[in-house]
Amino acid sequence: MSPRRRLSLALVWLALLLVGGWWISQQLQLTGDLRKFMPEARTPAQKLLIDELGEGPGSRLLLLAISGDRPEVLARQSAAMVTALAGDPAFSLAANGGVAGLESIPEALRPYRYLLSTTLDHQPLDAAYLSDQLEARLQDLGSPMAALVEPLLPADPTLEVLALADTWQPATAPQQLHGVWFDREGRRALLAVQTTAAGFDPGGQEAALAKLHAAFDAARGDSSSQLLVSGPGAFAVEVGGRTQREASFIGSLDGVIFSLLLLIAYRSWRVPLLAALPLASGGLAGMAAVALGFDGIHGITVAFGFTLIGVAQDYPIHLISHQRPGLSPWDNARALWPTLGTGVVATCIAYLTFLISGVDGLKQLAVFTIAGLGVAALTTRYLLPGLIDTTENGGKPYDAASSSAMAKVWGHFSRWPRMGVTTGALLGAAGLAVIWFVPGPFWQNDLSRLTPVPEHLLVQDGQLRAELGAPDVRYLMVIQGADAEAALQASEALQPVLVQMQSEGLLKAFDLASRYLPSAATQRARQARLPDAPTLQAALDAAVAESPFRSDVFAPFLSDVAAARAAPPLTAADLAGTPLAARVDGLLLRSDSHATALVALSGLEDPVAVASLLAPHGAQLLDLKDASESLVAEYRTRLLWALALAAVLLVATIWVALRDVRRTLRVLAPMALAIIVLLAVLRGFGVELNLFHLVALILACGLGLDYGLFFDHAGDSREGQLRALHAIIVCSLATLLVFALLATSSIPVLQAIGSTVALGVVFNFVLALLIVRQPAAESGEGATPGPIAEHGGAELLQ
C-alpha cells in the first residue's frame, strides 16, 4: 500500500474513533448500583437486602462528627448545619438531638399531634388536666425554657409537640450538651443526616457531600473545627474517587511504559501508535454495545471491561512480531488469523456464558468484552496490515528471527526440558492437595468485600455508630401485612412484646413505624377521645379561670383540636416532604400488593430466643448477614455452572480448530495447570476467593490459551519459534506490567485482581514453554508445518 493510502486509512480510522467516542459520551450513563452485580433475590430476606442496599434508609444515612473546638462552639455549628440542611431537598433528615418546635411541623399536620401522641391513651383532655398543664406552663415561663415554650403556648398548652419530640428521640441516643448530641467524652458534636439520593447513586451522594461541606464551611467561620463524615454514601464517593485517581495514574504510567516497551522491542516509533488503534477500537465498541443494549453501564463494567480487553493489545503485537522480510502484511495477517481467531473465539466463549448468569452486571461485562475483543481482532486482521510500512528502515523491517538478542533468549529457553505427562500430573496433584488440605474457608461470602472500604474508615464508622446508638445493621424484625394499615396494626400489637424483651435484657432498644405513624384505627380511637368544641371550651374556661392567662390566648388550640376531630386519619403518603417521611418510609415498605413493617433493633443479645418469642405473633427475625452470604453463594454457584459450560465449549472449540487430540491436550494443559498452581498459591497465602477472583482467573485462562496456541502455531521451525517467542514475551511483559501496577493499588479488590492475573501470566508463560514448545529444527522456515491453518480450524475461522 502506498504511503498516501496508508495515511488516508489512518486518518479515516482516527476520525471514526473520534466520532464513536463523541457518540458514546452522549449516550453513556454510568451507574454505581451494586445490585446490578447481584443475582435475583429469592427469599424475603434476600429481597429486603437488595432493596436496602440501594434504596433503603441505611444506605442513605450519613454520620457526622464536628471536633476541634470548645463544646459550645461545636454545638452552635451543629445547630447551624441542621438549620441549613433542613430546607435542602438533597436531605430528607438532619438531626442533632435538638428539640423540634411547632414551627418545624407543616401547618397542615399541626392538628395531628393529638392523634400521633400517646397522651390521650391514658389522659382525657378535661378541665383538671388542662389546669395542671397551665400551672406547669407558668413554671416553664419562669425557667430557662421560656424562650422555647412561649411561642408554642397559644396553640399547644399541653406541649404535645415536645411530648412527641421526646417520644421520637432514639432510645439509645448519645448524651446532650448545649442542646445537641455529643460523644461520651464531650469532644465531638454528633449529627445524623439522611440523603434523598440512594446509597449507590454516586453522583447524588457526591452532590450531597458537597452541600454538607459547604454548610459546614459556612457554620465554621473562623473556627478551627473539623468535620468527619461516614456512611455508605461517603464510602462510595471516597472509594470511587480513589479508584478513579489510581486508575488514571496507573493507566497513564502503563501507557508510557507500554510505549517504551514496544519501542525497545520493535525499534520503531510507529509500532506503539499502531498497537493502540485496535485496542481503542475494541474499547469504544464494547462501550457502544453496552450503551445500545442496556439502560446504563456500571462503573465496574467499565473498569473490568477495559482490563479484560487489555488482552486485545496482544493482537497487533502478534501481527508485528510475525512480520518478516518478503512477506506482505496482508499475507501475514491471513496466515495468523486461524490461530488468532481461535484464541478470540475461545476467550469470548468464556464470557458468553455470563449472558445466562441471570445477573445484569455480568451480562454487561460479557457484551463489553465480546464486542471489544471481536472488534479489536477484526481491525487487526482487516485494517492494521494496511498501516504497516514494509519499507521502513531501508526496506528491512524488524525481524525477530534475525535478532541476536532473541537468539540468545531462544537458546536459553530451548535448553529448558519439556514437561512430560508424569511431571505434569505430579504438579497438578500437588496443587490440588494444597487447595484441598490448606485450612480456612475457600470462598469469601462477605458481601461487603465486593465494595471494599479502607480499614480506617470502617473503624471510624463503627465508632460513630456506637456513639450515636445506630441500630444493628445485621438483624431486622419483619412484619408482613396486606396493606400499610394492617402492617401498622401488627406493629402496635407487637410493641408490648418488644417492651417485655427490652425489660428482660434481650435487646437494648427498638424502633418501628407505628412509633411515628399510628394505625388509622388508633388515630380514630384518639379522635373519639377528643372533646367536642363546647365541652373543650368549658374545660378550658374552667382551667384559665384558675390561672393568670387570658381565655382568648388559646384560640389556636381550640381550632387545632376541632380540626383534629374532623381530620381523616394520617397516612404515610400524607407525610411526603415532612421530617417524619424519612423515618416512616425507612420502616414501612409499601407496594401495590402488600406492606412490610420493619423493626430496627439495637443491642440484640440472643437472636434465637428473640426469634422464638416473635414467631407466635407473626413476626420474623431476619439475619441480613446470612441473607447476604446465601445470596453470594447462590451467585457463585450460578457462575460456576456457567464456567463449567464454558470449559466444555472451549475444549470443543480448540479440538475443532486443531483436529488433533494430542495437540488439543497439549494446548489446554498449560492453562489448566496454571489455574491449579495459581489457586494453590492463593490458598497457601490464605486468600479467600470472591467474584472478582473468578473473573481474574477467566482472564488468566484466556492469556494461557493464547500462549499455548501461538507456541503450537510455531511448530518446530526455529524461525517460527523465535517470532512466536518474541510476540509472547512482549505480550506477557505488557500484561504483567499493567496487572503488576494494579496490584500496587490501595483498593483491596484491585490488588487481588492485579496480583491474581500477574501470577497467572507468569505461570502460563512458563508452563506453555515447558509443555507446548516443541524441540526446534535448525532447518529454518517450515521444517514442520505448525499453523492451525493446515487443519480444519482454518475453515472455521475464515
Side-chain angles (χ1 to χ4, degrees):
M1 183 178 288
S2 66
R4 179 174 296 179
R5 294 186 64 183
R6 282 197 299 272
L7 179 61
S8 298
L9 176 59
L11 292 176
V12 170
W13 195 343
L14 286 172
L16 289 175
L17 290 177
L18 291 174
V19 171
W22 174 83
W23 180 84
I24 290 170
S25 69
Q26 302 300 309
Q27 302 296 319
L28 205 61
Q29 292 183 347
L30 282 174
T31 176
D33 193 342
L34 185 64
R35 293 175 298 173
K36 289 186 178 295
F37 274 84
M38 290 290 100
E40 181 181 357
R42 301 181 185 276
T43 67
Q46 290 176 354
K47 292 177 181 178
L48 182 61
L49 174 68
I50 293 298
D51 290 338
E52 288 293 306
L53 275 177
E55 304 292 344
S59 72
R60 296 184 281 117
L61 182 66
L62 296 175
L63 310 177
L64 283 62
I66 308 176
S67 61
D69 211 323
R70 300 189 312 277
E72 57 270 24
V73 175
L74 300 180
R76 286 198 299 269
Q77 294 172 356
S78 173
M81 284 194 68
V82 168
T83 301
L85 300 177
D88 195 318
F91 303 96
S92 58
L93 174 70
N96 66 350
V99 179
L102 184 63
E103 67 279 359
S104 68
I105 300 179
E107 183 72 30
L109 296 185
R110 288 184 183 181
Y112 281 102
R113 61 187 181 273
Y114 301 104
L115 308 185
L116 302 180
S117 172
T118 60
T119 298
L120 293 178
D121 294 345
H122 53 80
Q123 174 62 59
L125 202 59
D126 56 15
Y129 177 65
L130 290 174
S131 180
D132 290 341
Q133 290 296 303
L134 291 180
E135 179 65 27
R137 298 298 82 78
L138 281 175
Q139 297 178 13
D140 292 337
L141 290 175
S143 73
M145 289 185 62
L148 174 65
V149 170
E150 187 173 359
L152 304 177
L153 192 56
D156 196 9
T158 63
L159 296 186
E160 294 303 320
V161 166
L162 299 187
L164 283 173
D166 184 64
T167 301
W168 292 341
Q169 283 289 337
T172 56
Q175 68 168 329
Q176 288 198 13
L177 296 177
H178 307 287
V180 301
W181 289 331
F182 268 80
D183 63 2
R184 284 186 290 269
E185 297 178 352
R187 296 180 179 178
R188 299 193 297 179
L190 306 177
L191 301 91
V193 172
Q194 196 168 83
T195 63
T196 53
F200 285 98
D201 175 7
Q205 290 293 329
E206 187 172 3
L209 285 171
K211 291 185 176 182
L212 271 180
H213 287 286
F216 173 68
D217 289 339
R220 177 175 55 181
D222 297 331
S223 170
S224 60
S225 58
Q226 299 174 338
L227 176 67
L228 171 66
V229 184
S230 186
F235 293 159
V237 173
E238 166 69 19
V239 173
R242 181 177 300 186
T243 302
Q244 185 176 8
R245 292 191 299 271
E246 291 191 2
S248 177
F249 172 75
I250 291 173
S252 301
L253 183 60
D254 174 60
V256 172
I257 300 178
F258 179 62
S259 298
L260 290 175
L261 175 64
L262 296 187
L263 283 172
I264 295 171
Y266 298 104
R267 305 172 189 173
S268 169
W269 61 268
R270 291 186 176 91
V271 172
L273 299 178
L274 296 178
L277 290 173
L279 185 59
S281 302
L284 290 178
M287 287 199 293
V290 175
L292 292 173
F294 299 88
D295 293 335
I297 183 170
H298 200 285
I300 292 177
T301 301
V302 176
F304 271 116
F306 274 108
T307 300
L308 294 174
I309 67 167
V311 71
Q313 68 190 9
D314 294 0
Y315 304 159
I317 290 175
H318 282 298
L319 179 67
I320 297 170
S321 286
H322 283 84
Q323 187 64 44
R324 64 180 184 270
L327 179 66
S328 162
W330 297 104
D331 292 336
N332 183 29
R334 190 177 301 111
L336 285 176
W337 180 240
T339 302
L340 182 64
T342 299
V344 173
V345 170
T347 303
C348 288
I349 283 174
Y351 294 104
L352 188 65
T353 57
F354 283 178
L355 293 175
I356 63 174
S357 66
V359 180
D360 191 58
L362 286 184
K363 291 179 182 179
Q364 288 189 9
L365 193 59
V367 170
F368 191 110
T369 306
I370 292 171
L373 292 179
V375 168
L378 290 173
T379 52
T380 300
R381 167 67 178 86
Y382 294 104
L383 291 179
L384 192 59
L387 298 181
I388 296 178
D389 185 4
T390 57
T391 65
E392 188 178 8
N393 297 328
K396 294 182 179 180
Y398 176 77
D399 182 9
S402 62
S403 167
S404 58
M406 277 307 302
K408 293 179 181 179
V409 173
W410 179 84
H412 173 73
F413 285 134
S414 65
R415 290 191 291 271
W416 285 20
R418 301 192 70 208
M419 181 178 290
V421 175
T422 302
T423 306
L426 290 174
L427 178 62
L432 292 173
V434 172
I435 295 170
W436 184 264
F437 291 109
V438 167
F442 187 85
W443 298 110
Q444 172 56 255
N445 290 329
D446 189 350
L447 189 62
S448 65
R449 297 294 181 90
L450 295 180
T451 52
V453 178
E455 185 66 27
H456 73 279
L457 294 182
L458 292 175
V459 171
Q460 289 178 353
D461 186 71
Q463 292 173 346
L464 281 180
R465 286 185 177 275
E467 293 284 1
L468 281 163
D472 196 322
V473 296
R474 175 172 179 176
Y475 293 102
L476 266 181
M477 202 175 292
V478 177
I479 310 167
Q480 302 290 348
D483 52 25
E485 174 65 11
L488 287 172
Q489 290 186 24
S491 297
E492 292 171 338
L494 187 64
Q495 187 161 349
V497 180
L498 296 171
V499 172
Q500 180 65 27
M501 292 181 186
Q502 194 174 12
S503 65
E504 294 175 357
L506 294 176
L507 54 89
K508 288 184 179 179
F510 61 89
D511 199 12
L512 65 175
S514 59
R515 181 182 177 193
Y516 310 100
L517 178 66
S519 66
T522 297
Q523 293 182 56
R524 291 191 187 98
R526 290 171 181 170
Q527 275 182 321
R529 298 188 186 102
L530 285 171
D532 57 26
T535 304
L536 181 61
Q537 181 69 64
L540 181 61
D541 289 342
V544 169
E546 299 176 1
S547 73
F549 292 107
R550 301 194 322 267
S551 60
D552 60 340
V553 169
F554 300 106
F557 168 61
L558 296 172
S559 176
D560 280 357
V561 172
R565 278 178 53 83
L570 196 66
T571 66
D574 299 326
L575 300 178
T578 71
L580 287 178
R583 303 188 184 189
V584 173
D585 289 345
L587 295 170
L588 184 64
L589 311 180
R590 307 179 300 279
S591 68
D592 295 336
S593 58
H594 73 286
T596 302
L598 306 179
V599 183
L601 305 172
S602 298
L604 185 63
E605 296 295 337
D606 191 343
V608 176
V610 169
S612 63
L613 291 172
L614 291 175
H617 300 277
Q620 181 183 6
L621 184 68
L622 297 184
D623 184 344
L624 295 185
K625 181 176 185 294
D626 181 70
S628 69
E629 291 180 352
S630 66
L631 194 65
V632 172
E634 291 178 13
Y635 187 8
R636 182 178 61 245
T637 299
R638 187 178 303 180
L639 184 58
L640 289 174
W641 276 111
L643 293 180
L645 175 61
V648 173
L649 295 176
L650 185 146
V651 171
T653 300
I654 301 301
W655 182 83
V656 170
L658 298 178
R659 298 292 177 88
D660 184 295
V661 173
R662 293 186 63 185
R663 291 179 66 197
T664 299
L665 293 176
R666 191 168 65 239
V667 167
L668 294 175
M671 179 184 67
L673 275 178
I675 295 302
I676 292 174
V677 174
L678 179 54
L679 288 175
V681 170
L682 294 176
R683 287 287 288 151
F685 282 97
V687 176
E688 300 172 14
L689 302 188
N690 58 30
L691 161 70
F692 301 120
H693 283 106
L694 287 178
V695 177
L697 288 171
I698 296 172
L699 177 56
C701 285
L703 295 171
L705 184 63
D706 282 346
Y707 300 164
L709 283 170
F710 275 95
F711 272 129
D712 179 80
H713 171 89
D716 64 357
S717 162
R718 181 180 185 277
E719 288 78 3
Q721 286 194 9
L722 277 169
R723 297 187 183 101
L725 181 61
H726 181 271
I728 292 172
I729 288 176
V730 176
C731 290
S732 59
L733 284 177
T735 306
L736 184 63
L737 164 70
V738 65
F739 285 99
L741 288 173
L742 202 62
T744 65
S745 169
S746 65
I747 306 298
V749 164
L750 298 184
Q751 287 180 359
I753 297 168
S755 58
T756 300
V757 178
L759 287 173
V761 168
V762 174
F763 296 153
N764 276 301
F765 177 79
V766 172
L767 289 169
L769 274 173
L770 296 177
I771 297 174
V772 187
R773 176 188 56 82
Q774 300 181 49
E778 297 293 333
S779 55
E781 300 285 345
T784 300
I788 296 176
E790 87 179 280
H791 297 276
E795 299 173 1
L796 175 69
L797 296 164
Q798 287 179 340

